Amino acid sequence: MQNLEGLMVETGRVIQRRYLLQRLVKQGQVCAVYQGFDQVLQRVVAVKVAPAEQIPTYRASLRLTSQFSHPNIIGVYDVIPEADGLYIVQEYVDGDDFATLLQAQPSIYQIADLGRQICQALMYANTSSRKVCHGDLTPATILRDRRGSVRLSNFASPPDMAYFNAWSIVGADGVALLDAETPWGQMSENRLADDTRAVGILLYQLLSGRPQGATSVEPPTDGRLRFHRNVPPEVCDVIARTLIRQHPQNIVTPDALYSELKAIADALEPYEPVSTFKSEDVLKPHQVLPTGTGKLSSASAGVRQERSQPGLLSNYRSEPGSLAVSDAPPAAAALADPQFAQSPMTDQALPYPEAQQAPSRVNMPVLIVAGLLLFALFFVIGYFLAQMVLK
């Protein structure tokens, strides 16, 4: 039995004679999430329980998001208002929460890919037919399932102001949110910018220098960003442009941040060779292997070219009172193109069937008959020549 803001919720309870509450998954400040079981459709579900005073807020949110269907957004199945509270039945996601991701210390590629997926969900909600912003993009709203897909919840919900106030000292001049007036969930340019910056805050926490095993990251008290030393400068620059509102190249939309993160993720994507050998692919004599140029090598080349140019990060390293980014040497091994040493090929080195044809068998009787015919022919010719000479 759990005490949720004065609301007593018992595990083992069946909601609306259908949803069995099995165990508490997460206890939040406002609501709790239980693993439940749909006894009609025989499937595992998540049941979010909110106190009665929060029902109007959640109903407004659900009206905006009830038709959402996207692989990066947790689906809502059912909403059950009761006298003691509101029960929201959602898709159950078996995966890792944000604290677990911090402990796992994901690679730079995984972090860029995570940010790219978050942006995809925001872009889906921001389309002209929906015009919905998230508004409360915090670590509590992020899950990554066992297949590596990022899943977002709590769209169109009131923000956790304590969280955003704490992070407002990092490049935001103490302003937590640009748009706190528009009704929650509704889209505006400033609300888009707030959501985009919220993605940057999440990514920075994954990229920051933190103790091993840490489950949370506190905002730096001096407002200066400090990245782990293996973070490439290009990644540091993108995060700085997302967090610092006064940056001359400030990233203010999920679409723009998605493009930046996609370029980084494509360049860092692990190379996995796949065997596609077929019998018709055997090289013929004097055939030359083509030189492969895939998107990985071209994207990596683009990143390396950008590294050769002076970036904006140098403006934030030594100036007092400005953003400080700790020296982060490029992850050369991660960005380097795979090189394949190719030795010269000669016909002798290739065991082609065409080059090693077996000698044909000799038919001896035919050879003997042919020899006798030739002997007889030359004998007759010689006889007539001799007669002519003797005469």
Side-chain angles (χ1 to χ4, degrees):
M1 182 177 295
Q2 306 291 333
N3 191 338
L4 177 62
E5 299 292 334
L7 175 65
M8 307 301 291
V9 181
E10 299 179 359
T11 56
R13 179 179 175 181
V14 178
I15 308 300
Q16 208 178 40
R17 295 179 295 179
R18 176 172 181 176
Y19 303 107
L20 171 65
L21 301 184
Q22 295 178 316
R23 68 180 181 90
L24 178 66
V25 176
K26 182 173 63 175
Q27 177 84 55
Q29 295 179 353
V30 177
C31 63
V33 179
Y34 285 81
Q35 178 182 318
F37 187 74
D38 184 344
Q39 299 179 118
V40 175
L41 296 180
Q42 296 291 298
R43 64 180 177 183
V44 178
V45 295
V47 181
K48 180 182 293 186
V49 186
E53 58 267 24
Q54 296 293 329
I55 290 179
T57 299
Y58 279 97
R59 277 184 167 171
S61 169
L62 292 169
R63 278 196 297 269
L64 292 173
T65 62
S66 60
Q67 301 300 317
F68 279 13
S69 178
H70 190 272
N72 296 122
I73 299 176
I74 296 177
V76 177
Y77 296 149
D78 202 353
V79 180
I80 305 167
E82 294 197 353
D84 59 349
L86 183 68
Y87 296 84
I88 305 170
V89 183
Q90 299 179 323
E91 175 187 4
Y92 180 80
V93 177
D94 180 23
D96 299 324
D97 59 12
F98 196 79
T100 303
L101 294 178
L102 283 173
Q103 291 178 306
Q105 297 187 337
S107 67
I108 306 299
Y109 163 74
Q110 291 172 325
I111 294 171
D113 184 61
L114 180 143
R116 174 174 60 177
Q117 292 187 56
I118 294 175
C119 289
Q120 285 178 325
L122 297 178
M123 291 160 58
Y124 169 84
N126 296 160
T127 56
S128 58
S129 60
R130 301 178 185 89
K131 296 184 178 180
V132 175
C133 287
H134 193 288
D136 187 36
L137 198 54
T138 66
T141 66
I142 303 292
L143 285 173
R144 186 178 67 178
D145 65 23
R146 300 305 179 197
R147 297 174 298 177
S149 295
V150 178
R151 314 298 299 276
L152 302 189
S153 62
N154 286 20
F155 267 86
S157 298
D160 181 351
M161 289 307 301
Y163 171 84
F164 288 107
N165 279 326
W167 283 96
S168 66
I169 64 174
V170 182
D173 298 327
V175 179
L177 298 173
L178 292 175
D179 188 349
E181 303 298 329
T182 304
W184 303 122
Q186 295 186 19
M187 188 171 67
S188 69
E189 289 187 6
N190 285 338
R191 187 65 57 76
L192 281 176
D194 288 337
D195 275 355
T196 305
R197 185 172 182 274
V199 180
I201 295 173
L202 292 170
L203 298 183
Y204 170 71
Q205 293 176 65
L206 293 169
L207 294 165
S208 66
R210 60 187 183 278
Q212 186 172 4
T215 59
S216 64
V217 175
E218 297 296 328
T221 56
D222 59 0
R224 306 176 71 175
L225 299 179
R226 294 173 176 83
F227 294 91
H228 194 278
R229 288 190 174 275
N230 68 343
V231 181
E234 297 81 10
V235 179
C236 299
D237 184 54
V238 169
I239 300 304
R241 291 165 54 200
T242 306
L243 290 182
I244 304 172
R245 292 198 179 114
Q246 301 303 320
H247 196 292
Q249 296 179 336
N250 184 212
I251 300 174
V252 295
T253 65
D255 303 66
L257 182 56
Y258 171 82
S259 298
E260 298 284 353
L261 294 174
K262 183 178 185 301
I264 293 171
D266 287 348
L268 296 174
E269 185 173 7
Y271 176 74
E272 297 181 2
V274 179
S275 176
T276 57
F277 176 80
K278 299 178 182 179
S279 58
E280 59 266 26
D281 293 336
V282 176
L283 293 177
K284 303 302 181 184
H286 310 295
Q287 183 177 343
V288 180
L289 283 172
T291 301
T293 55
K295 68 172 184 177
L296 176 62
S297 58
S298 61
S300 299
V303 171
R304 288 196 301 273
Q305 183 178 4
E306 291 177 5
R307 285 182 176 178
S308 63
Q309 301 174 358
L312 292 169
L313 287 180
S314 58
N315 298 331
Y316 305 111
R317 286 179 178 166
S318 57
E319 296 180 5
S322 61
L323 171 69
V325 180
S326 60
D327 293 337
L335 289 173
D337 295 337
Q339 300 294 325
F340 300 93
Q342 297 183 0
S343 58
M345 293 187 177
T346 61
D347 291 348
Q348 291 81 358
L350 297 176
Y352 302 130
E354 297 90 332
Q356 297 183 355
Q357 296 180 354
S360 59
R361 297 181 59 183
V362 180
N363 194 327
M364 293 303 295
V366 174
L367 184 61
I368 293 173
V369 172
L372 291 174
L373 290 175
L374 289 173
F375 176 79
L377 178 62
F378 285 114
F379 178 83
V380 172
I381 294 175
Y383 175 79
F384 282 105
L385 290 175
Q387 293 296 324
M388 293 175 62
V389 172
L390 292 175
K391 289 180 180 182

